[in-house]
């Protein structure tokens, strides 16, 4: 009886362990996620708030210029021969300013960015001279491309008086932070506001050192973690006004510094880029390990800049539209003939690469990507890469540009991102990403294996005892039962027959017992 009670207790213990294993399998992730999500919410004064306000990462901006090596031949109508020069590296410091929390579960902020040139990580100094297109001049030519001949002749006369040429030579520092250009000063007084550039200098990062990219209003995650850091408004607007449909003007996703937690391979992420004047979709590319953690690498789909029904709303100036891996952003850049693509025309039509000499697309060097931590949605590593091109127009009336071939001319490409994280951030992310998985696996193994062994062992033991199965370890009654039967069968019963001997015989013994006794 005591043995049955003991077996019953072990069986109940095994069932309890199996139930606990089932609870771990079904509820453990939700329990852990709730703890992590609570910490992720942006609240004033919290540790997450301090990390969010003062990002501990150190982003780097690397600029690569395309230096024109056959200036005269290009002016005479030949293909441009380009030589990539760079990188010119700038360390960045980010800080969120003008922060304000709102009753609808959002927070507003601007990200102030400072740039510091790092000579030791650059291929040259900011005094290096780059030969490339005169972008302000070609912008002026492009704006009168489809206007009456009289307007084109007026631009031709203006360019002749100013002695403007299609090709200029300036230092890296001037191209980055601005140089004086007479055309921009004149255009500021002549052009309508929507076509007028806000500066009388030209530079790719003019007035951006110490400035911000705009006012973001994002959800803190309070009450709905699925909207964590997603953009509510940008510069007080929910929609842009550059494109043809409301869908394409919609500001989707985040600013790229974080994403809602619970990212999977099936997730479709969106990142809003104010320089592209649109949100870019990101789809799963492949898995990898980053800083000892599983990461999901996301990248824009191959057709993001193609002419497709979904992208038709971005075709403001057409048809025909450019497409084929390049994207015309002139409508949001004051009419400037600016076209963007991935560096070296990566994933673009062959015709764009073949129109110039020097393009060598490589996915390892030129693909844009973000490595995301699945559980927290935190970027572990990212490189935002983009190439700035100029659509060179063919306007025979304007003599300085009359011989230029119509083409997409690469000017510069850059990568802006983070590939290293501080050790304390890595440790926190590892705890959030790895520890729950290890703990869950250990508990499942312990509960299911031990519980299963107990339940199976007790069940087999009871069955063996009930059916008196010959299983000595599971049926303790079997050995005593068998032993008693064996002893009973070994005792002599009645007259036992004479045992015959075999093998060697004793010569002193005969068949006659009386004689042998005598």
């Amino acid at each position: 009886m005591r043995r049955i009670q003991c077996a019953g207790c072990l069986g109940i213990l095994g069932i309890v362990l199996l139930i606990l294993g089932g609870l771990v399998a079904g509820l453990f992730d939700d329990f852990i996620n709730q703890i992590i999500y609570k910490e992720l919410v942006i609240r004033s004064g919290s540790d997450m708030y301090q990390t969010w306000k003062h990002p501990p990462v150190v982003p780097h901006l690397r600029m690569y210029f395309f230096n024109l090596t056959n200036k005269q031949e290009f002016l005479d109508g030949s293909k441009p021969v380009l030589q990539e020069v760079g990188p010119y590296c700038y360390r960045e410091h980010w800080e969120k300013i003008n922060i304000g929390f709102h009753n609808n579960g959002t927070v507003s902020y601007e990200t102030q960015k400072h740039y510091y040139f790092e000579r030791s990580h650059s291929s040259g100094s900011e005094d290096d001279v780059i030969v490339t297109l005169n972008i302000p001049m070609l912008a002026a030519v492009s704006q009168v491309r489809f206007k009456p001949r009289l307007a084109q002749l007026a631009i031709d006369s203006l360019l002749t008086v100013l002695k403007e040429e299609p090709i200029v030579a300036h230092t890296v520092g001037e191209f980055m932070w601005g140089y004086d250009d007479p055309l921009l000063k004149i255009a500021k007084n002549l052009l309508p506001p929507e076509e007028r550039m806000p500066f009388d200098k030209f530079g790719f990062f003019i007035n951006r050192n110490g400035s911000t990219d705009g006012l973001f209003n994002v959800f803190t995650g309070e009450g709905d973690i699925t909207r964590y850091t997603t953009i509510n408004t940008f510069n007080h607007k929910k929609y842009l006004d550059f494109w043809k449909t409301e869908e394409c003007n919609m500001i989707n996703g985040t600013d790229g510094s974080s994403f809602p937690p619970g990212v999977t391979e099936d997730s479709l992420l969106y990142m809003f880029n104010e320089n592209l004047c649109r949100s870019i979709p990101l789809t799963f590319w492949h898995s990898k390990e980053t800083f000892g953690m599983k990461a999901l690498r996301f990248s824009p789909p191959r057709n993001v800049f193609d002419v497709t029904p979904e992208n038709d709303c971005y075709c403001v100036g057409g048809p025909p539209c450019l497409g084929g891996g390049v994207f015309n952003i002139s409508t949001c850049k004051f009419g400037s003939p600016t076209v963007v693509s991935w560096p070296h025309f990566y994933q673009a039509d062959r015709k764009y690469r073949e129109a110039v000499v020097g393009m060598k697309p490589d996915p390892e060097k030129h693909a844009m990507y973000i490595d995301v931590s699945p559980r927290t949605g935190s970027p572990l590593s990212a490189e935002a890469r983009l190439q700035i091109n100029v659509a060179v127009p063919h306007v025979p009336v304007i003599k300085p540009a009359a011989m230029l071939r119509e083409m997409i001319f690469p000017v510069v490409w850059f990568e802006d991102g983070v590939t290293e994280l501080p050790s304390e951030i890595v440790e926190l992310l590892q705890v959030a990403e790895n520890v729950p998985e290890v703990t869950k696996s250990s508990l499942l193994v312990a509960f299911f294996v031990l519980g299963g062994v107990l339940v199976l062992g007790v069940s087999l033991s009871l069955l063996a005892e009930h059916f008196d199965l010959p299983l000595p370890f599971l049926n303790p009654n079997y050995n005593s039962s068998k032993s008693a039967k064996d002893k009973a069968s070994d005792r002599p019963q009645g007259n036992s027959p004479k045992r015959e001997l075999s093998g060697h015989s004793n010569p002193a013994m005969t068949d006659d017992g009386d004689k042998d006794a005598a």
Side-chain angles (χ1 to χ4, degrees), residues 3 6-21 446-464 474:
R3 180 180 174 278
C6 183
C9 291
L10 291 176
I12 292 173
L13 176 60
I15 293 173
V16 170
L17 290 175
L18 290 176
I19 293 174
L20 289 175
F447 288 152
F448 280 126
V449 172
L450 184 57
V453 168
L454 287 176
V455 171
L456 182 62
V458 170
S459 301
L460 291 177
S461 178
L462 293 176
L463 288 173
L474 297 175

Side-chain angles (χ1 to χ4, degrees), residues 17-34 375 436-437 439-441 443-445 447-448:
L17 290 175
L18 290 176
I19 293 174
L20 289 175
L23 292 175
V24 168
L27 303 178
F28 183 84
D29 283 335
D30 290 338
F31 174 73
I32 294 297
N33 287 342
Q34 289 303 317
R375 190 180 295 272
E437 290 299 321
T439 303
K440 179 182 178 181
S441 299
L443 289 175
L444 288 177
V445 170
F447 288 152
F448 280 126

Side-chain angles (χ1 to χ4, degrees), residues 100-116:
F101 287 87
H102 308 282
N103 294 331
N104 62 345
T106 64
V107 58
S108 298
Y109 65 91
E110 294 180 82
T111 301
Q112 188 178 51
K113 299 180 180 181
H114 292 272
Y115 298 88
Y116 305 92

Side-chain angles (χ1 to χ4, degrees), residues 207-218:
N207 287 3
R208 291 185 63 180
N209 200 345
S211 67
T212 71
D213 295 326
L215 180 66
F216 285 88
N217 177 257
V218 305

